[in-house]
Amino acid sequence: MDDCAQQRPLFTFGVIADIQYADIDDGFNYTRTRRRYYRSSLQLLRNAQESWSESAVKPEFILQLGDIIDGFNKGHDASDRALDTVLRQFGSSPVEVHHVWGNHEFYNFSRSSLLSSKLNSSLLGDRSRSGARAGSDIYAYHFSPFPGFTFVVLDAYDVSLLGREESSEEYRSALSLIKQHNNNEDLNCPPVLEGLQQRFTMFNGGFSKDQLDWLDSVLSSADEKQQRVTIVSHLPVHPCSTTPICLAWNYDELLAIISSHSSVVCVMAGHDHDGGYYWDKDTGVHHLTLEGVIETPPDDNAFGTVSVYEDRMVLKGSGRISNREFLFSQCHSDTDDRAG
């Protein structure tokens, strides 16, 4: 292992989640139990950018795991201004950024607006084979930064009340689904006080059959080519990697697809600002939920740099983000000791 630690990685990438920038004073989360540092989040992004730019091995790309600006911007008529501010900071370095969409993207913009915005990074996706996109208005795509490795960006609000026109069939279908589980007048309130049923809230969503079928196809191709696949979603998809209130509605369907393939090595998500981690012994898949910038004090940090090798990925965390090592499937017997 000591010899492996000295190896140069095949490639590296940066990861950051839930920046939720707004030019407003500090506030609190929905339950008023956690402080949120709206203005300071921009400085924490600068810290991350400076660290990545000064690294001996520069990241190939950055994964921005969603909620890039806060929903409060909408009420202040500042959505476009706030987004421009954050994207300008990302643009201060030449490294490409893959943007994931979270609930706060949809608080600020319609789905059609997002598809035509700079937050649509699907043009960076792999165009070398058919099916690079999941569907016309589904924001899901894959890309390969290095031979043998594929990243799949998923749309966790494909099935959701957020970002859908109330007159649309998609909205009516999502409303019917959530009301089967949540009878509250305010659908942002979880239907129960504990348990997995808590996930059926308006700030969560899920994956349509079209998107799941597309993912199944992408993973089948990756299986055949013996590629390593990392799946990226704003919403966590394993109950042991997050609190139930942050879990995707139909996480179980996604996990079933993952378990039917050999190529998936890791799932990365945001949304749960406390973060989380779980190694699924049955599939060998690592589920990482990244701590959120928005609830990170101004004198701390919340970003990571991942170095990818033939047999593992190594996360070097900064501030609230822990260092972790994700061994790939052939090393399962060692993972209990080394995964974090």
Side-chain angles (χ1 to χ4, degrees):
M1 187 62 198
D2 289 339
D3 290 340
C4 291
Q6 302 303 316
Q7 293 176 3
R8 186 178 177 88
L10 302 175
F11 64 96
T12 69
F13 63 92
V15 62
I16 193 166
D18 297 87
I19 299 167
Q20 287 182 224
Y21 168 73
D23 186 13
I24 58 175
D25 294 339
D26 293 350
F28 292 90
N29 61 350
Y30 188 73
T31 56
R32 300 195 63 78
T33 55
R34 297 292 180 88
R35 195 167 188 85
R36 293 190 169 178
Y37 306 92
Y38 297 106
R39 286 197 185 96
S40 300
S41 65
L42 192 64
Q43 181 58 52
L44 268 58
L45 172 58
R46 287 194 192 102
N47 295 348
Q49 290 281 89
E50 288 173 6
S51 175
W52 291 324
S53 67
E54 293 169 2
S55 297
V57 180
K58 302 290 189 296
E60 294 287 322
F61 58 92
I62 307 299
L63 292 179
Q64 187 277 112
L65 298 178
D67 286 2
I68 192 171
I69 64 172
D70 194 85
F72 275 129
N73 286 293
K74 183 70 171 179
H76 291 82
D77 196 26
S79 299
D80 290 324
R81 186 163 65 251
L83 180 59
D84 286 346
T85 299
V86 181
L87 289 180
R88 202 160 48 242
Q89 183 58 52
F90 270 115
S92 65
S93 84
V95 180
E96 68 181 32
V97 182
H98 290 269
H99 296 289
V100 178
W101 294 354
N103 47 309
H104 283 262
E105 274 75 17
F106 292 110
Y107 295 156
N108 283 283
F109 307 104
S110 67
R111 177 169 287 268
S112 58
S113 295
L114 285 171
L115 285 167
S116 60
S117 77
K118 292 178 181 177
L119 287 180
N120 183 348
S121 49
S122 64
L123 290 178
L124 301 174
D126 183 1
R127 299 291 166 182
S128 63
R129 63 182 191 258
S130 61
R133 285 284 300 276
S136 58
D137 74 342
I138 299 173
Y139 181 64
Y141 66 96
H142 56 74
F143 65 98
S144 177
F146 191 88
F149 292 86
T150 289
F151 286 71
V152 181
V153 176
L154 292 184
D155 185 345
Y157 292 87
D158 177 14
V159 178
S160 175
L161 298 177
L162 303 178
R164 298 291 187 184
E165 297 292 335
E166 291 188 17
S167 60
S168 69
E169 178 56 38
E170 289 87 354
Y171 184 93
R172 288 193 291 271
S173 177
L175 185 61
S176 173
L177 174 60
I178 194 173
K179 290 210 164 186
Q180 290 174 33
H181 305 276
N182 190 334
N183 294 319
N184 291 323
E185 185 174 340
D186 181 357
L187 292 175
N188 276 312
C189 293
V192 292
L193 293 177
E194 58 184 28
L196 295 181
Q197 194 85 347
Q198 285 183 291
R199 72 187 187 277
F200 288 102
T201 67
M202 192 170 172
F203 50 77
N204 293 332
F207 313 94
S208 68
K209 184 179 185 303
D210 284 349
Q211 185 175 181
L212 293 175
D213 287 347
W214 170 82
L215 175 63
D216 192 37
S217 172
V218 170
L219 295 182
S220 292
S221 175
D223 292 345
E224 292 171 10
K225 297 175 181 179
Q226 297 187 307
Q227 293 181 324
R228 310 287 195 188
V229 176
T230 296
I231 292 175
V232 185
S233 163
H234 182 66
L235 296 180
V237 298
H238 200 294
C240 297
S241 69
T242 183
T243 178
I245 203 170
C246 291
L247 196 60
W249 287 352
N250 59 337
Y251 74 89
D252 49 341
E253 294 180 71
L254 189 64
L255 288 180
I257 289 176
I258 290 174
S259 68
S260 69
H261 295 278
S262 60
S263 49
V264 182
V265 295
C266 187
V267 178
M268 294 187 175
H271 198 48
D272 184 345
H273 300 164
D274 287 336
Y277 170 77
Y278 180 71
W279 177 61
D280 188 337
K281 291 180 174 63
D282 293 332
T283 61
V285 176
H286 302 271
H287 291 264
L288 175 70
T289 305
L290 211 70
E291 288 81 353
V293 169
I294 184 62
E295 290 180 13
T296 303
D299 59 352
D300 205 348
N301 276 306
F303 66 91
T305 305
V306 181
S307 298
V308 182
Y309 302 85
E310 289 284 357
D311 62 343
R312 71 203 188 282
M313 298 196 299
V314 178
L315 168 64
K316 184 180 186 301
S318 182
R320 296 174 65 206
I321 312 297
S322 299
N323 293 338
R324 297 189 186 276
E325 185 172 61
F326 310 131
L327 296 181
F328 297 153
S329 56
Q330 70 265 35
C331 303
H332 283 177
S333 60
D334 298 325
T335 309
D336 273 331
D337 299 326
R338 298 176 182 169

